[in-house]
Amino acid sequence: MGEGKGSRGDRALETRRRIIGAAGELFVEKGYGATKLQEIADRAGVAVQTIYFVFRNKPSLLKELVDVAIAGDDEPVPTMERPWFTEVTSAPTAEAALAALVAGARETLERVAAITEMVRAAAATNPEIRELWPDATDPRYTVMSTAAKSLTAKPGARPAVSTDEAADIVYGILSPELFLVLTRDRAWSPAKWERWAYDTLRSQLVAGTRP
């Protein structure tokens, strides 16, 4: 009996995930420009022609890697429709919303912080990388400003902090750059970073706490 479509589809999805995983490891280890598709194929255990068939080229593979790292999976669900973000916007108080936001940011940054740094370095010398994200709007700022708008409207928010200022504070404290400084360069655990980020933001954004 032949294999069903579901079995072939599962194998194709697993192959895609192996390629993305191998690309992420090598791009971060060696840099985008120094990594060859053949090296990715060897690590993923596939033929290099498979990478071309699935992703067309190296920039498209990078774009898919970034999208999957941000989302946490390969489902076509935008960040602001993800359960962790819904928890932020549906939380009953500013303090609860902040806890959900920092927890969600930690999960995302553990996947994407090093990749973000790699992409920034690659974009400086590879014009085709800059063309992958032509929109001038920073999608991370869009997510953080939406979270800040929701948080500042909830009971317990510090009234003196405007939505724009809250968005800037959240955007800075929960940045991939600062996450890497503390967790990679200073060897903090992600759990320690999460506690610090929550305490720092709580003092800035929640009423009744010391700024």
Side-chain angles (χ1 to χ4, degrees), residues 52-121:
Y52 285 113
F53 177 75
V54 175
F55 296 100
R56 300 192 314 278
N57 54 42
K58 191 174 170 185
S60 294
L61 173 54
L62 176 64
K63 179 68 163 59
E64 185 74 9
L65 164 64
V66 172
D67 290 346
V68 169
I70 291 171
D73 56 45
D74 47 18
E75 296 297 322
V77 180
T79 297
M80 288 189 287
E81 295 177 16
R82 295 273 167 174
W84 76 264
F85 194 85
T86 301
E87 188 176 348
V88 174
T89 56
S90 63
T93 65
E95 193 164 4
L98 179 60
L101 176 60
V102 175
R106 170 189 166 179
E107 290 184 9
T108 302
L109 288 169
E110 286 189 83
R111 296 189 304 265
V112 82
I115 292 172
T116 299
E117 183 181 62
M118 174 270 297
V119 170
R120 184 175 291 109

Side-chain angles (χ1 to χ4, degrees), residues 10-22 44 46 50 53-55 60-61 64 68 74:
D10 290 345
R11 282 209 312 275
L13 184 58
E14 177 56 30
T15 297
R16 186 182 190 89
R17 288 171 176 168
R18 287 209 315 273
I19 294 170
I20 290 172
V46 301
T50 301
F53 177 75
V54 175
F55 296 100
S60 294
L61 173 54
E64 185 74 9
V68 169
D74 47 18

Side-chain angles (χ1 to χ4, degrees), residues 24-36 39 43 118:
E25 292 170 1
L26 285 165
F27 286 160
V28 170
E29 289 171 15
K30 301 182 63 174
Y32 173 84
T35 301
K36 307 302 182 186
E39 295 174 299
R43 184 167 293 196
M118 174 270 297

Side-chain angles (χ1 to χ4, degrees), residues 72-199:
D73 56 45
D74 47 18
E75 296 297 322
V77 180
T79 297
M80 288 189 287
E81 295 177 16
R82 295 273 167 174
W84 76 264
F85 194 85
T86 301
E87 188 176 348
V88 174
T89 56
S90 63
T93 65
E95 193 164 4
L98 179 60
L101 176 60
V102 175
R106 170 189 166 179
E107 290 184 9
T108 302
L109 288 169
E110 286 189 83
R111 296 189 304 265
V112 82
I115 292 172
T116 299
E117 183 181 62
M118 174 270 297
V119 170
R120 184 175 291 109
T125 55
N126 295 271
E128 72 273 16
I129 301 304
R130 294 193 293 272
E131 293 170 3
L132 293 175
W133 292 278
D135 189 350
T137 302
D138 183 345
R140 191 175 75 81
Y141 183 79
T142 299
V143 170
M144 292 300 167
S145 62
T146 302
K149 182 177 180 180
S150 176
L151 188 153
T152 54
K154 294 181 183 296
R158 187 180 292 279
V161 180
S162 69
T163 297
D164 287 345
E165 183 179 359
D168 290 345
I169 292 169
V170 169
Y171 183 77
I173 296 297
L174 303 183
S175 68
E177 295 86 356
L178 187 52
F179 181 82
L180 287 176
V181 165
L182 294 176
T183 61
R184 183 191 62 192
D185 301 345
R186 302 309 308 157
W188 284 22
S189 69
K192 180 177 179 179
W193 173 89
E194 183 177 347
R195 289 192 301 271
W196 170 82
Y198 172 76
D199 289 343

